[in-house]
């Protein structure tokens, strides 16, 4: 998909990315791929001893999905900046929805840029991650 700076407008949205509900398999695969084997994400007994109802998703897993949202919209080389703040725990069974919206068009050093507001929410519209990205066009 080619993004045209002249035709894109503030308020335009990225095609949303809806993920399947989080499973223990998802967490185990992400732990292996990322090297993050923190037991709070993969060991139910450990999570319960820590006061949680069960294991929960790695924050970086949701951030990775936001990265996928962006790279399905533009090539990775156009992502100039990508920030995220973890706002809530993503529990087993949550079905993350990643969304993005153009909130600003700007130029810097002769480069046309888009500022994108990013969110990850679950099936109950509870916010899990808030972020932003700067995209070179």
């Amino acid at each position: 998909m080619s993004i045209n700076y002249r035709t894109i407008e503030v308020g335009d949205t990225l095609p949303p990315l809806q993920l399947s509900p989080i499973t223990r398999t998802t967490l185990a695969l992400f732990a292996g791929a990322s090297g993050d084997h923190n037991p709070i994400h993969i060991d139910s007994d450990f999570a319960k001893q820590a006061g949680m109802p069960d294991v929960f998703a790695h924050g970086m897993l949701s951030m990775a999905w936001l990265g996928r949202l962006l790279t399905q919209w533009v090539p990775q080389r156009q992502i100039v900046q990508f920030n995220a703040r973890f706002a809530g725990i993503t529990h087993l069974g949550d079905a993350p929805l990643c969304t993005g919206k153009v909130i600003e068009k700007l130029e810097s050093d002769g480069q046309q840029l888009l500022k994108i507001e990013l969110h990850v929410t679950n099936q109950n519209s509870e916010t899990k991650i808030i972020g932003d990205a700067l995209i070179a066009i």
Side-chain angles (χ1 to χ4, degrees):
M1 176 178 205
S2 177
I3 307 298
N4 186 320
Y5 187 80
R6 286 179 287 150
T7 59
I8 198 152
E9 297 186 20
V10 171
D12 285 353
T13 57
L14 282 63
L17 175 63
Q18 177 67 64
L19 285 305
S20 298
I22 303 289
T23 66
R24 293 177 196 285
T25 301
T26 305
L27 300 182
L29 291 171
F30 185 77
S34 67
D36 182 351
H37 298 279
N38 185 326
I40 199 82
H41 301 297
I42 52 178
D43 182 335
S44 292
D45 293 335
F46 184 90
K48 289 174 183 171
Q49 286 176 349
M52 300 303 298
D54 205 338
V55 295
F56 56 89
H58 308 68
M60 293 305 290
L61 176 57
S62 294
M63 191 171 178
W65 284 324
L66 279 178
R68 185 191 308 171
L69 173 79
L70 291 170
T71 58
Q72 287 181 344
W73 193 56
V74 296
Q76 184 175 343
R77 67 180 181 282
Q78 290 181 236
I79 301 172
V80 176
Q81 189 177 67
F82 178 26
N83 302 302
R85 180 173 60 85
F86 303 116
I89 293 174
T90 303
H91 296 281
L92 289 173
D94 278 356
L97 173 65
C98 301
T99 57
K101 180 172 72 175
V102 177
I103 60 169
E104 186 177 359
K105 293 173 70 173
L106 57 149
E107 291 191 27
S108 177
D109 296 325
Q111 191 173 33
Q112 296 175 325
L113 303 164
L114 300 173
K115 187 167 186 176
I116 311 297
E117 178 183 81
L118 301 165
H119 288 96
V120 177
T121 57
N122 68 2
Q123 67 280 4
N124 300 318
S125 301
E126 297 168 334
T127 299
K128 303 303 180 179
I129 292 188
I130 300 166
D132 60 74
L134 205 53
I135 306 297
I137 300 298

